[in-house]
Amino acid sequence: MSAQNTQEQLLAEIKELKIQLEAANDTIEAIKTGKDLPVNQEHFILLANNIPQITWTNLSSGQFNFFNERWYDYTGLSFDATFEESWDNIIHPDDLPATREEFNRCIKTGEVFEIENRYKRNDGIYRWHLNRNIPLRNENNELLFWVGTATDIDDQRRSIEKKDEFIGIASHELKTPLTSLKAYLQLISNYKKEVVPGQVKTFIVKAESSICKLQNLVNDLLDVSKIQAGKLDFVQSPMSVKELITTCAENAGYIFPDYNIIFNPAAEVRIKGNPERLEQVLMNLINNAVKYSPLHKDIILSVKKEGHQVRISVTDYGIGLSTSQLDKIFERFYRVDVKNTMAGGLGMGLYISMEIIKNHKGTIGVQSRINKGSTFYILLPLLS
């Protein structure tokens, strides 16, 4: 190829590059001003500027390239200041590292970004927002860009905090009289000076049973208040998984005499944990298995090593869970609403169990099919 042809080709490539740069600059300016846009872009900006949420878009690389008017109204930043500072001086300093870490992870993986954090308003006040950033893809599943929203949830969070504070205070206030009432009933039950009529003893037994249920509910409420306050702390030490499950199986056999609590002891494994709290988790799983298996009486407890973890499972052959129920089962106050079952409680057991397992650096999950039963399992790290 001659030098002249090479020069002409180079000039042509420079010209094409210039055209592309001008087009890119026009797009940026169009986003900034909202003018001279194609119809779809005009509609997007019209929509974005007329919703109550803060809205933005990112390029596939994660770089911000648009914020709606709600952002500028809320932050008080100019267009240039926005793209110079972005989140750095708007998100609360305590929330920024976690936000950046999760945002960068989602940009790399293509997963939906979701996090709660605090945004500084133009008057310097921070308010809580729920952020979601969703990747948009073409028909070939290629990532085109991201669309994000930040919804103000500050009022809702304050309302929940007040409810949690009330729950904590009420639970503490209820615990003392309940303990005293239980003690008095035990004194009456053990009274020997005179013969207590059989019917009265029956009433005492039923009253003690009701008080125990009420105490369990109060204890659950106290645990929830501790979780919300970040104070669900407990001592952990080396312990035997076999002993833990054997104890739970024996207790369950006494509590549920009509059910077959089956546990075939496996090889001994040890973990670091809190026996009382882990027993609380397993007994809750067994209780749920019984509650939702009114016809099939076999409840199977099993243990299996999986790499550096131990898997503890509770299996029933009851009514099972639907896909929508599986998505919500570990939420606070969620209860499975099923006809023909005696499903008492406040729907906090699995939520508390999940938090206890998290504190043990483990995970909890469930596998289930409608009318085929469920297997709830926990994975805990083995003691090294």
Side-chain angles (χ1 to χ4, degrees), residues 53-321:
Q53 291 89 355
I54 291 171
T55 306
W56 68 85
T57 59
N58 309 93
L59 302 176
S60 58
S61 63
Q63 181 182 350
F64 295 94
N65 63 349
F66 169 77
F67 285 89
N68 69 343
E69 290 181 1
R70 175 64 178 152
W71 165 270
Y72 299 111
D73 293 341
Y74 182 89
T75 64
L77 295 177
S78 65
F79 178 87
D80 292 333
T82 287
F83 287 93
E84 287 173 4
E85 300 179 15
S86 188
W87 280 345
D88 290 356
N89 294 325
I90 297 300
I91 293 179
H92 194 286
D94 292 345
D95 303 334
L96 185 58
T99 300
R100 283 208 169 279
E101 181 180 352
E102 180 65 7
F103 180 79
N104 291 333
R105 186 189 69 81
C106 292
I107 291 296
K108 290 179 181 178
T109 62
E111 298 176 14
V112 173
F113 166 75
E114 182 170 326
I115 198 169
E116 293 182 11
N117 57 21
R118 287 161 287 184
Y119 280 79
K120 184 168 66 175
R121 203 166 55 187
N122 54 33
D123 57 1
I125 294 175
Y126 286 95
R127 292 182 63 84
W128 282 97
H129 286 73
L130 171 63
N131 299 266
R132 283 180 60 85
N133 206 25
I134 300 173
L136 297 184
R137 303 175 182 275
N138 61 18
E139 62 276 8
N140 297 321
N141 203 36
E142 296 170 336
L143 200 155
L144 300 176
F145 61 99
W146 298 75
V147 176
T149 59
T151 305
D152 191 318
I153 57 169
D154 198 81
D155 293 338
Q156 294 92 318
R157 280 186 65 107
R158 292 181 186 278
S159 177
I160 291 172
E161 287 172 0
K162 288 180 180 178
K163 290 178 183 177
D164 289 336
E165 183 180 358
F166 170 77
I167 287 173
I169 294 171
S171 301
H172 279 288
E173 293 297 325
L174 285 169
K175 195 168 185 178
T176 300
L178 278 174
T179 301
S180 299
L181 182 57
K182 188 174 183 179
Y184 283 125
L185 284 172
Q186 289 175 344
L187 289 172
I188 295 172
S189 180
N190 296 326
Y191 188 71
K192 302 296 183 182
K193 291 185 178 181
E194 298 177 14
V195 177
V196 178
Q199 190 174 14
V200 173
K201 288 186 176 181
T202 300
F203 291 154
I204 292 171
V205 170
K206 290 183 178 181
E208 286 178 334
S209 176
S210 297
I211 288 175
C212 285
K213 291 179 181 178
L214 188 54
Q215 277 188 317
N216 288 335
L217 292 177
V218 170
N219 288 335
D220 282 349
L221 288 170
L222 280 169
D223 280 345
V224 168
S225 65
K226 289 177 183 177
I227 290 169
Q228 296 305 304
K231 296 179 180 179
L232 188 67
D233 299 322
F234 40 80
V235 176
Q236 299 185 35
S237 58
M239 57 176 288
S240 165
V241 171
K242 181 179 177 181
E243 289 180 10
L244 169 69
I245 302 179
T246 299
T247 300
C248 291
E250 290 176 353
N251 291 341
Y254 293 124
I255 298 171
F256 308 111
D258 296 334
Y259 282 77
N260 304 316
I261 310 299
I262 303 168
F263 172 51
N264 298 317
E268 178 64 276
V269 293
R270 294 181 68 78
I271 60 173
K272 185 178 181 181
N274 182 281
E276 289 77 20
R277 284 297 186 175
L278 290 178
E279 183 178 334
Q280 177 185 349
V281 171
L282 284 177
M283 291 306 296
N284 179 65
L285 297 183
I286 294 170
N287 180 68
N288 284 344
V290 169
K291 185 188 300 183
Y292 296 108
S293 301
L295 301 178
H296 301 274
K297 303 298 182 179
D298 289 344
I299 308 295
I300 300 174
L301 311 183
S302 60
V303 180
K304 181 182 178 182
K305 286 179 65 175
E306 293 187 359
H308 298 291
Q309 294 180 306
V310 59
R311 182 187 185 98
I312 304 172
S313 303
V314 178
T315 301
D316 66 70
Y317 300 96
I319 61 177
L321 297 165

